[in-house]
Structure formats: structure tokens, C-alpha cells
Amino acid sequence: MAKTSMKLAFLAGAAALGIASAASAAGPTASMLSNTCAGCHGEHGNSVGPASPTIAQMEKEAFIETMEGFKTGAIYSTIMGRIAEGYTEEEIELMAGYFSGQTYIPAKQSFDEGSVKKGQKLHDKYCEKCHAEGGKPVRGEEDEEYYILAGQWTPYLQYAMTDFQEKRREMPKKMKKKLDKMIEKEGDAGLEALYAFYASQQ
């Protein structure tokens, strides 16, 4: 009886090893590829912050476009350009599919509660057309320009905005027009109110 059990255990182990070897030979899976991002972007793409953005539930086309931008140098980065170079187009597509299927968890962070209402009004006036639902992730969103703002880490949003304003990253024309108009009327206080509103979204 013991010999039979040992034989079955051996056969099961050999089968599992064969499956693992076959998977390895077929190339890395979406989950395997995406796990390499966890050090900066958190488990399943939910960053523990504050400088790295959460990428869970990021729309596929936005993810692919961003990674390709890093890879070619079209999008400014500190380290992402070098990292993106290590992935093929097929691998980036696999990762895009993986992260888009994850559940977005808003960052728990402090914010100026007194600025939230003003920030919401500014969002509705200047940002809602491209960042619907207050900047929250939307399942099935097809707009490749859609990026998650609600519940995103404030330091990351500030760094990204600085890159846009200092022309290290190209700002979409629609965004520039709206941003210029808002800053003309509200100044930097308008941006701070927006950050407070996004941080409040849980």
C-alpha cells in the first residue's frame, strides 16, 4: 500500500514538473511578467506609494501606449525607459491584459479636506470630459486617453504634472487648453484643490 502511494505521489510530481516545464518553454505568462512590476507598483498593480502610480485596472490601450512611449523615449522617465526596453510588444500586451483585469484600490493618504469641494468643482469643469466619474477607473472604458486619477498617490500626480508643465512630457492639446485656462483663473491653488479631491476619492 505504501509503495502504491509513493508511486502515485511520484507520478503526480512528475506530471506537475512536466506541466511547469511546458509552461516555461512556452514563455512567461501574463502573471509572471506582471509580478516583476510589484516592487514599485505593488501587488497586482496597487502601489504602496508614494512616487509610483497604481496601475491596477489601467485600460489596456493606455498601458500599451505608455509602455511603448517609455520604450521609444517619447515619454520622459527616470527608470521606466530602461525597464520597458526589456519587454517585447507581445509581453507588453500580456501585461496590459493582466493589469486591466485587476481591481483598483485607492491609496490611503492624507489630504486637505477643506479643498475637496473646490477640487470637485474644478474637476467637473475642466477634467471630467476625459477623466469621467471623477477620475475613477471604469470597466470597459475604450478611450485610450483615459488615465486613473481618483485615489491615485498625490506625489505621483504632482511629479507627473511637473513633467507636463516643464515640457519633459508632451501634454495633449485638449489637456493643455483646459489646464492653461484653469491656472489662469485659479493659479497653483487650483491644482492643489484638484489633488485634494482626487486623494479623497475612495
Side-chain angles (χ1 to χ4, degrees):
M1 185 74 174
K3 287 184 178 180
T4 301
S5 297
M6 288 180 65
K7 186 176 181 180
L8 289 173
F10 173 79
L11 290 172
L17 182 61
I19 292 170
S21 298
S24 178
T29 65
S31 179
M32 289 168 58
L33 288 166
S34 302
N35 283 341
T36 64
C37 307
C40 293
H41 296 283
E43 189 175 2
H44 306 303
N46 284 292
S47 172
V48 294
S52 298
T54 285
I55 55 178
Q57 211 167 324
M58 187 175 183
E59 202 276 326
K60 289 181 184 179
E61 289 302 316
F63 183 94
I64 292 170
E65 182 184 79
T66 301
M67 285 292 283
E68 291 298 337
F70 286 141
K71 195 172 182 178
T72 62
I75 297 179
Y76 169 81
S77 69
T78 51
I79 61 170
M80 278 305 302
R82 296 193 296 275
I83 292 172
E85 286 178 355
Y87 296 102
T88 66
E89 289 183 12
E90 292 75 16
E91 288 172 336
I92 289 173
E93 288 179 5
L94 283 172
M95 294 163 69
Y98 175 85
F99 285 119
S100 70
Q102 303 307 302
T103 299
Y104 181 86
I105 301 175
K108 302 293 184 183
Q109 57 189 320
S110 60
F111 55 89
D112 180 6
E113 295 184 9
S115 298
V116 171
K117 286 186 177 180
K118 179 179 179 180
Q120 182 172 5
K121 289 180 180 179
L122 293 175
H123 170 86
D124 291 345
K125 184 174 182 178
Y126 297 104
C127 312
E128 177 70 16
K129 188 172 182 180
C130 292
H131 300 283
E133 302 294 329
K136 293 179 181 178
V138 181
R139 290 290 186 191
E141 175 61 55
E142 297 297 332
D143 185 351
E144 65 180 25
E145 295 185 353
Y146 179 80
Y147 295 87
I148 300 168
L149 299 177
Q152 191 61 270
W153 286 102
T154 297
Y156 166 71
L157 293 180
Q158 291 171 327
Y159 297 147
M161 180 57 70
T162 298
D163 286 342
F164 280 127
Q165 289 180 304
E166 296 185 358
K167 299 182 179 179
R168 289 191 289 266
R169 291 183 64 173
E170 184 178 357
M171 193 183 302
K173 290 181 180 180
K174 290 187 293 184
M175 176 181 172
K176 186 178 188 308
K177 184 177 180 180
K178 293 283 188 178
L179 181 65
D180 288 348
K181 186 178 291 186
M182 188 196 77
I183 290 180
E184 183 181 352
K185 291 186 177 181
E186 305 290 340
D188 289 340
L191 283 174
E192 294 305 316
L194 279 174
Y195 297 144
F197 169 63
Y198 297 136
S200 74
Q201 298 304 288
Q202 298 294 312

